[in-house]
Amino acid sequence: MATKKTNTFSSKPKSSGGLFGIWLGLSVIVILLDQISKITIERSFQFAELYPVTSFFNLTLAYNKGAAFSFLATEGGWQRYMFTAIGVVASLVITYLLKKHAAQKLFCWALALIMGGAIGNVIDRVMYGHVIDFLDFHYKDIYHFAAFNLADSAICLGAALFILDELRRVKK
């Protein structure tokens, strides 16, 4: 009597629980890279110091008390708590969505990147009262895009992947 041979090297995990761990791991990697880069810049630069890397890109040390593009940065301090709360709530919702939809790869890549970036910036707000930014893109000295960090980059990449996933889903 022949027995059916199973492939022990299957590329698909047996449960979405294993995938959930992968998505959380991706978020942790984003958080670690973000925090290591911020610590390195904080220790290497004085506030507002510029280090030209290319004709259109500098490294710098900037502090952002607001949200993206320094939105609400000049307010009295309440924004720190509001943006921290938004980041925490978003991370809780994303954790739920990652667990529920762990098998949807592109969707979960997007959410894991967004969550890692959000938590990276929440850590800054809690520890320092502001977010550390250091990536400075510019056009000559005429226009400087708002400085940002790896957490912001992960959030933007995650948002782009989320849109791509939704567009692919609509086409089906």
Side-chain angles (χ1 to χ4, degrees), residues 107-171:
F107 180 68
C108 289
W109 263 99
L111 292 179
L113 290 170
I114 292 169
M115 183 167 75
I119 293 172
N121 284 340
V122 163
I123 290 169
D124 284 12
R125 290 184 198 289
V126 169
M127 290 181 62
Y128 313 117
H130 56 261
V131 173
I132 298 168
D133 290 328
F134 57 90
L135 302 171
D136 174 37
F137 286 88
H138 60 91
Y139 176 71
K140 299 184 180 177
D141 279 330
I142 299 170
Y143 176 75
H144 281 261
F145 188 75
F148 58 100
N149 57 46
L150 294 184
D152 300 332
S153 300
I155 292 168
C156 289
L157 179 57
L161 291 176
F162 182 81
I163 291 167
L164 178 62
D165 182 61
E166 288 303 311
L167 291 173
R168 288 177 49 192
R169 203 179 313 246
V170 168
K171 282 188 174 182

Side-chain angles (χ1 to χ4, degrees), residues 65-68 70-73 75-91 118 121-122 125-126 129 131:
K65 292 185 178 186
S70 296
F71 176 67
L72 298 177
E75 295 299 312
W78 58 267
Q79 70 277 24
R80 171 186 183 186
Y81 304 103
M82 182 182 78
F83 293 132
T84 299
I86 289 170
V88 169
V89 170
S91 296
N121 284 340
V122 163
R125 290 184 198 289
V126 169
V131 173

